[in-house]
Amino acid sequence: MMREIKNILVLTLLVGLVSSPAFAQPETPVSEWTGKTILLVGAHPDDDSNSYGTLSMLQENGNEVYVLLMTTGNVGTKDPDMTRDRLAKIRRGEELRALNEIGIPEENYINLGYNDGMLEFTDRKEVVRRLVKWYRKLKPDVLFAFDPGYGYQKWLKADHRRASYLAVDAARAAEWRLIFPGQITQDGLEKHWIQEYMFYSGVEEDKNTWVDISGKHADRKFNAVSKHVSQFSSAWEDYNGSNLEAEDLPTEDRNEFLDKMRSRVYDNKKDGTTVEGFRYYKGIPDGIGHRRH
Amino acid sequence: MMREIKNILVLTLLVGLVSSPAFAQPETPVSEWTGKTILLVGAHPDDDSNSYGTLSMLQENGNEVYVLLMTTGNVGTKDPDMTRDRLAKIRRGEELRALNEIGIPEENYINLGYNDGMLEFTDRKEVVRRLVKWYRKLKPDVLFAFDPGYGYQKWLKADHRRASYLAVDAARAAEWRLIFPGQITQDGLEKHWIQEYMFYSGVEEDKNTWVDISGKHADRKFNAVSKHVSQFSSAWEDYNGSNLEAEDLPTEDRNEFLDKMRSRVYDNKKDGTTVEGFRYYKGIPDGIGHRRH
Amino acid sequence: MMREIKNILVLTLLVGLVSSPAFAQPETPVSEWTGKTILLVGAHPDDDSNSYGTLSMLQENGNEVYVLLMTTGNVGTKDPDMTRDRLAKIRRGEELRALNEIGIPEENYINLGYNDGMLEFTDRKEVVRRLVKWYRKLKPDVLFAFDPGYGYQKWLKADHRRASYLAVDAARAAEWRLIFPGQITQDGLEKHWIQEYMFYSGVEEDKNTWVDISGKHADRKFNAVSKHVSQFSSAWEDYNGSNLEAEDLPTEDRNEFLDKMRSRVYDNKKDGTTVEGFRYYKGIPDGIGHRRH
Amino acid sequence: MMREIKNILVLTLLVGLVSSPAFAQPETPVSEWTGKTILLVGAHPDDDSNSYGTLSMLQENGNEVYVLLMTTGNVGTKDPDMTRDRLAKIRRGEELRALNEIGIPEENYINLGYNDGMLEFTDRKEVVRRLVKWYRKLKPDVLFAFDPGYGYQKWLKADHRRASYLAVDAARAAEWRLIFPGQITQDGLEKHWIQEYMFYSGVEEDKNTWVDISGKHADRKFNAVSKHVSQFSSAWEDYNGSNLEAEDLPTEDRNEFLDKMRSRVYDNKKDGTTVEGFRYYKGIPDGIGHRRH
Amino acid sequence: MMREIKNILVLTLLVGLVSSPAFAQPETPVSEWTGKTILLVGAHPDDDSNSYGTLSMLQENGNEVYVLLMTTGNVGTKDPDMTRDRLAKIRRGEELRALNEIGIPEENYINLGYNDGMLEFTDRKEVVRRLVKWYRKLKPDVLFAFDPGYGYQKWLKADHRRASYLAVDAARAAEWRLIFPGQITQDGLEKHWIQEYMFYSGVEEDKNTWVDISGKHADRKFNAVSKHVSQFSSAWEDYNGSNLEAEDLPTEDRNEFLDKMRSRVYDNKKDGTTVEGFRYYKGIPDGIGHRRH
Amino acid sequence: MMREIKNILVLTLLVGLVSSPAFAQPETPVSEWTGKTILLVGAHPDDDSNSYGTLSMLQENGNEVYVLLMTTGNVGTKDPDMTRDRLAKIRRGEELRALNEIGIPEENYINLGYNDGMLEFTDRKEVVRRLVKWYRKLKPDVLFAFDPGYGYQKWLKADHRRASYLAVDAARAAEWRLIFPGQITQDGLEKHWIQEYMFYSGVEEDKNTWVDISGKHADRKFNAVSKHVSQFSSAWEDYNGSNLEAEDLPTEDRNEFLDKMRSRVYDNKKDGTTVEGFRYYKGIPDGIGHRRH
């Protein structure tokens, strides 16, 4: 495998020579993946929601799926009576119930606990260090992350921009034994190379992989997305109670909410099929943004 | 209005589904805007100069226009005898006289007082905090700012790059009650959502809005731009005196200077008309860079 | 010359008016350059390797060529027995031997000594300060640097991204007398304007200049690249000995290594000729990323 | 006055020569001060409470008294149901009511709005900049601040330690025209030298000035301190309602609370008199910690 | 208990009134402590070594003892052939064998993995966050830490100075529910108040508690200290092999080494008894440095 | 020598055992030192002035004396017409002329070029790195620095406080081969242990060494100090001309100035002799602040 890394590295250096097969779709279709460890990294609870269909499929097909979010999402509300800690707990509950819908157990959910909106002001080295530790611990085969861009850097709002770079910079750091060596000498961890990437929220024209989630995975996605009541329903402005479910909303609000969620899941189509689109990349992290002719 | 926010937010999440009307030109043409509060944010005195025609029109049409610049511009000179503080004062004078030409009073000019060239090294969190405070205080309806990019991040030189992100990241932070809450609990301010954006200095192909400034506004713009003697005339290399006006320059220099300024204002044409071009965006700050098909 | 700067500055402000000749290829072909001071800035030993042919030509043609690298490259290995300091020394040796192949003497090599992989976490202001000091000391006419992008910001992996911005932001800072004035008042240096840029590793479609290195410069490049045994040969995984040369490798490994290096140098062709491609830019640093129609 | 500064500066440099009269008590007793501008700087609401008697006296005697606190005090509670923003508002109310008891109007209260407990992690340069701006705006004759130490640096808990250095470092910065010059060139402010200091919370043996507050000022202090119900009463653990006053507490709790406050005010005696103790210092900020024989 | 906290807090505010019993020796002698959770925090492996006798006694008496060190100690060597990672592993081994001698199991040893010598340059907020997490997880009753000073701040070399403040500032942060709330809302932890402190390496005259370790605990301490072969023996300059024990040293070196260790343990006497000296403090962290008459 | 280091290190760990001879005066009186390399580190031009007598003696006695100052001193003026860069040049001139009076050549003067008043806000790691590089380059035997304190940390104003810690923290870092290894692998430098320290500006009671400078060295000191016209004469408020010498001042001002300088030099007496007082320390930097009984 070492030799393979080296070869890819050398390949990467042959800039401008040949069109690289690395940017093609996955050799094995996503729907046939099995036995892999999958890690999705995002900034807030619900950043994973546009990937719920694919994660559901992966989890069912015998892969181990983890979700790591960096902030608690504790400022995302327009409810004048909502407080930070109450919201943090609500969103944790929503996230866990959503993950449960797609078969991911609570112990596979990691939240770094940062305050929402402050991620862009948090020491980058320390967050990268924490991510690297998780990468080395979980040893994912595939990383789902915000697309940092392809060729050019994508414009993302502040915390997604930050989350995007943190996730891929950490992927690069994780593979070098001599970076953050304390994790290796003290915690018994080893360097780890994440070989495959599924980038979400990228620029539309850069997507190269669409996963067919039609059927049960779309339905589970719908159920999962519908757990984020605090974010997408009328509770956004007025959250009464705790651990609200769709059924707790007034009838009209509930219907409006579920319609939107339905549209969000089922209207995302390619060639008439319900899909989730990604930019797939395979190789060393160095080449994540390489656009060659 | 809250409901509107929520809907737009949900819309924003429907990535990849439909082409968004948010990226069209303003529904109401800029020339018909009235009663709005307008804020332009830039890095240096004269960063606003390519928008002087539009600001002149807006001010005349019953809008309240503010200009906020982050640095004093105190290093922009090739005059070997110029000093930092003298230049800071000269440029403040030029800026105020320019604003006066387009009808903006001195009290609508805000300068954060940072040293030119050092903005990129100033603590981001604190500058965002200051900008958020001004946004919450002035409550602008429209923000003019350096275009951070559309789809991809635009390349801007260091201080413009920094100013661009600061301006839009602060726009996002300003709308959340739980971010920088001290401004709300201690200063009696409220969260504020800036809904419309006019981005300047963007990549040419991303512009979508051209304001016809031909006639008096172009003339005022010419008068205003011509106040920046320290930057665009021979005084750039040799600034003799204080508060120089064009007429203080030697005849040849004056003519050359005014010709350039004239060309700068009147040669900026679209379909034969003197214009200023922008990328207009309406919506929540999250979507500023979203490029969808 | 001062007047020239001013004129270019004014030109730069005429955004959107005319297509700029500044983005054309160099007026004098690179192969005819002579008497210039050339500085290449990169992050790691071997970041200069895709420019070896051009540097070889320039050095031979009576230009003075310097190479400044920011890190020691002390983590780039998959050899489980390699250590940081040993690798730093090995890579210094490789770099010096490579430069020797293309005629650049040891005293023209500068290494800032930062740890590999940590550049992105090092205080930007201080690194810019150091670069500005070198720019003011060496007074390069031409800067070779990672392409930070053209129009949009290029995606580069963490340390190349950082190195790219540092190099060009420092170029901008260096030309202002009132930025880092201590270098001028205490060290007898003067502000310096680097007027020409050769950007490497850019997005392919942005390249505008291809230097024909076929013949002796390609051969020297091959010899030079082949000095980086620790990076591109089997020594990457298992480095036995010190100051390894290609001939120290087992036959099979040596052949594989040299084949790859040969392909890397000679297969990089344009219209059948062995070349190195760059984005050439001439002007003030402010305009490095300006894309106009 | 300029000459006076210079002389004191020179005096300060004569280290080790003579015992300095600068460390004696104020020439004019505090009780006779009038016409002065007084500024107290602290970290949290109630940091000023041990100075309430003296501030009350100064305000009554025709001085202008300001209080500037850096954080909102929004984490100081053991009530499991308290939230950050609610507490921030409660403590603002308590602080204003306390100041009202000693005659200081609301407009003389400044709160920088930082989160409690995070001051030690906030960019020092920016906080110093903000303090310098207030010093230059209010032009205090006397600064009340946490004692940073005399000879040796005092040990203070994290936020008091930070507040102490920030206050005195800003006092030093404020007096130099060329530090934070943007405040001068853009905001019309001038450098300002604070000449007198009353340090509170110092090491006991370093105090040199005790203000006799017996009588009405002690009584007002008692009334003022008793406004901080959220901090010193049973509401600390269980805050029911809003804007609680002592009379809102259950009888037993109220009595216990008032007894403690009474003891706090009236038991602080020197030679049988109710006092407040300070380390008084007069001179340039450079000498604040100079201990000479 | 809440009430107790409040009372101590109020007590703390009564500055200058009464001599505080909090600064006396522990009510229950250290030798009689049982059932407590003990945490020692230091910067490097062996920073705990002057407390080995006391820790040995505490562990034997039914307390749970943990040791948390912030750096791997990977630069502490004069051996020209030693490398960072090899040293980190050696020192981990030495530390674990030393702890084993005094009965502390491997799972009670925590190392944060930072590079030695760089602690002073690591983001303070993030290290405090990590410490607070451990405090909230382990819930220590007693914290052993470098003495930050009593009245005045102690002078400690860079990394000990930093470790000292980090340890006590984190102790303060840990007790507030609203500081680092993500640990509470996401990780199920609770705020924790460490009530007792044993400060080591303080200024001699500030020590108030001497623990009699004569007999078996001194002997175990001698055995434990003698595990740090890389630091105190001739291996300091020339470390041959791996996991060296005293018996692996040449006879003369071994004897010299053991003599020194013996002297270090047994010559540390008070009134003829082998002791370890500390400054004991009980109360809220705010008062750690309060010196009152 | 290695063994010596180790022994001292072990000695240092024997805290509380014996009174250390390391804190005594130098074994060889300062007046007999010869062949040593001496480095004085300070924050501003003239920070060295209280040591001019001793430096003069050392330079004459065959030692090599260097002076390294961190800032240009470019804000130290009350002259309303003075500018930063003009002052920086003036103070460089004064410093060089002063050093010339005591026999130190221009090439032995190093100025790091930082802005005055901003040192406390400059990245510590990078300044330490620069200092370590100078220590490793010059290899001083003796370091003169602001006294950071003895037992407790001395209170120094912001930039002196910072300069003090930087100087001694760098002394510690310099002696470890694995700290800032890039200086060793790339620049051919070696770790260096500074063994002797002369601390100036300490708390009076901590001084332990007084150097008799009476006679020619006091006279040279007087001449040297009198070069700092911009700081100690009436030019402080009104600096007319350039490179002012005492004789350029109006008669009255000149006399007043020279009288002050005379008093400053000659009135600093111990037992009737003109002296300069220091805290001398010998040993490893770890022990600089150790106060033992």
Side-chain angles (χ1 to χ4, degrees), chain A residues 1-7 9-17 123-126 128-129 147-154 164-166 168-170 172-181 191-193 199 279 284-293, chain C residues 44 46 49-50 74-84 87 116-118 120-121 148-159 161-162 165 201-207 231-237 253 256 260-261 263-265 267-269 291:
Chain A
M1 197 190 77
M2 280 298 128
R3 179 148 307 234
E4 190 182 352
I5 298 182
K6 187 187 61 184
N7 288 346
L9 185 71
V10 171
L11 197 70
T12 300
L13 291 158
L14 302 175
V15 173
L17 295 189
D123 187 74
R124 287 186 59 242
K125 186 175 180 181
E126 287 302 302
V128 167
R129 188 197 303 274
D147 195 345
Y150 175 52
Y152 292 110
Q153 297 177 52
K154 184 176 189 296
S164 170
Y165 290 123
L166 290 168
V168 299
D169 291 351
R172 192 164 171 276
E175 69 172 327
W176 301 102
R177 181 175 56 84
L178 295 168
I179 294 188
F180 302 133
K191 69 178 161 63
H192 176 70
W193 173 32
F199 291 116
R279 177 164 75 90
I284 55 171
D286 297 29
I288 281 169
H290 280 205
R291 165 179 288 170
R292 282 163 284 172
H293 48 237
Chain C
H44 316 97
D46 84 20
S49 62
N50 284 325
N74 60 352
V75 309
T77 183
K78 297 289 174 183
D79 180 344
D81 297 322
M82 183 57 72
T83 68
R84 285 171 165 250
L87 184 57
D116 192 358
M118 293 296 112
E120 56 189 296
F121 307 128
Y150 176 52
Y152 293 110
Q153 297 176 51
K154 183 174 190 297
W155 198 99
L156 292 153
K157 65 179 179 176
D159 36 6
R161 191 189 316 136
R162 180 55 77 102
Y165 291 123
S201 292
V203 169
E204 203 58 27
E205 56 267 34
D206 289 343
K207 295 187 179 167
Q231 301 301 300
F232 307 129
S233 81
S234 57
W236 171 249
E237 287 163 37
D253 287 352
E256 187 190 353
K260 271 186 217 142
M261 294 303 98
S263 155
R264 181 177 172 176
V265 172
D267 292 355
N268 194 353
K269 285 192 156 60
R291 165 179 287 170

Side-chain angles (χ1 to χ4, degrees), chain D residues 29 163 196:
Chain D
E196 295 180 279

